[in-house]
Amino acid sequence: MMTKRLVMTAFAGLMTLAAMAQQQMELTAAEVAQRMAPGWNLGNTMEAQNWATGAALWDNKGGLNAETSWQNTRTTQQIIDYVRAQGFRSVRIPCAWALGHISNASTYTIDAQWMARVKEIVNYCINDGLYVVINDHWDGGWLEEHIKDTGTAKTKNKEILTRLWTQIAEAFKDYDERLLFAGLNEPNADNQAATNNLIEYEQAFIDAVRATGGNNAQRVLIVQGPSTNIDHTCNYMAGKMPTDPAGRLMIEVHYYDPWQFWGMTSDESWGKMFFYWGSANHVSGSTHNATWGEEDYMETQLQKMKARFADNGYPVYIGEFGAIWRTVVGANESQAKHNASIKHHYKTLMAKAFAKGFVPVVWDTNSTGTNQMTIINRSNLTIYNSYMLDGIHEAMEEAGIDVTGIDPVLNTPFPALNAKSSAIYDLQGRRVSEPLRPGIYIRGGKKYVVK
């Protein structure tokens, strides 16, 4: 009788966990978005082309070393732990699949080792309680640069997209709501006809994922606006979103404005770089003050997305944003004001996105030196650019988001998880192992009391 009661108790416990998991999958896209901000990009990593091996579209020459072909640090659990400790609540993992990771070109089969490596990194994030987004990034431009294809070429593109996403979805179908899929990255569409094509491709992506069943039947999916450009997205895609039977879609745009501030690296005949952003940071006598694209412009752009998408049930995912940090020299120039401009830009974008319920995801490449968007130096787990991170943290604090990356103490039993699935730390940040003495411990980005 005792054995029977124990079995029934264990069964009831499993049923409760299953019910909780199902409830989580039933979160709306807006509810999931609230739990994801702010986000961080594992940039220039899993989407990189392995030039050293001559990897190309539809071959399998990329290998696992592709991960470090554009930056030099292999992703570890410790890196993701460090990201979580900076307060980020979600990670976007840009991914290549077609570009050097196809084991059978005739069937567009994704290499099993590459799929396993992507899954390993996703697990690092899940272990820390983070939300995760994986996509089909530039990927050699196989689709991103062929959105305007017509006829048999477009039909073939849809077939390939379906095959790729069916495999990805099958591999991750048992993951809970903390994993999201984004169909593409920056699809090259700049008019209504091209956007109509894009919507067809995104419909193929949605249909492929939903058809795999399991948790994929309700998983939140992210579709991209044309060129992930706010104006194109509002002009050509508002009111024309693809159909999702689950009703769980987000819309993705990127924010890289103004070009002269975020990416321009030399003065040109048509205009100069912007070292200074925000009127309070302008430098008298400098020819490098921003002349457009400052706070009011940012507000206008984001408000358009809110009115056309967020207010109509489609949360806005700003999958990338950032600005390069420069070494400023010359008469009438100020490094301090440039540093302040970087901080202000990051803070302002984050604050405005938080206020509108958007998910802002900062771009980070792990490259050091000037003209870079790196916040975290992954090789030694230090902050490379404090101006960027300070701006993000100030916006979080003002929005009431915990900047430590650790949720409040939970009045629940310490989870009985395999030690391999999530590291345990004490409040001094030291990794510990079970059995634990009474006290407060951190696991998966949450504090637990052990009595």
Side-chain angles (χ1 to χ4, degrees), residues 24 36-37 94 113 122-123 145 168 203 229 254 298 304 332 345 382 394 412 414 421 426 434 442 444 448:
Q24 293 296 94
M36 294 175 65
Q113 287 187 308
V122 169
N123 289 342
E145 296 174 4
I168 300 166
Q203 190 66 61
N229 174 279
H254 295 171
M298 181 184 286
K304 285 192 292 189
N332 298 318
H345 182 79
T382 59
E394 285 190 10
T412 56
F414 195 83
S421 67
D426 63 18
E434 299 180 273
I442 301 165
Y448 293 91

Side-chain angles (χ1 to χ4, degrees), residues 202-234:
E202 292 177 330
Q203 190 66 61
F205 154 66
I206 294 167
D207 293 346
V209 172
R210 297 294 184 226
T212 61
N215 286 342
N216 289 334
Q218 295 181 290
R219 188 175 310 286
V220 175
L221 304 179
I222 304 174
V223 296
Q224 291 64 48
S227 301
T228 55
N229 174 279
I230 289 177
D231 288 328
H232 292 343
T233 301
C234 291

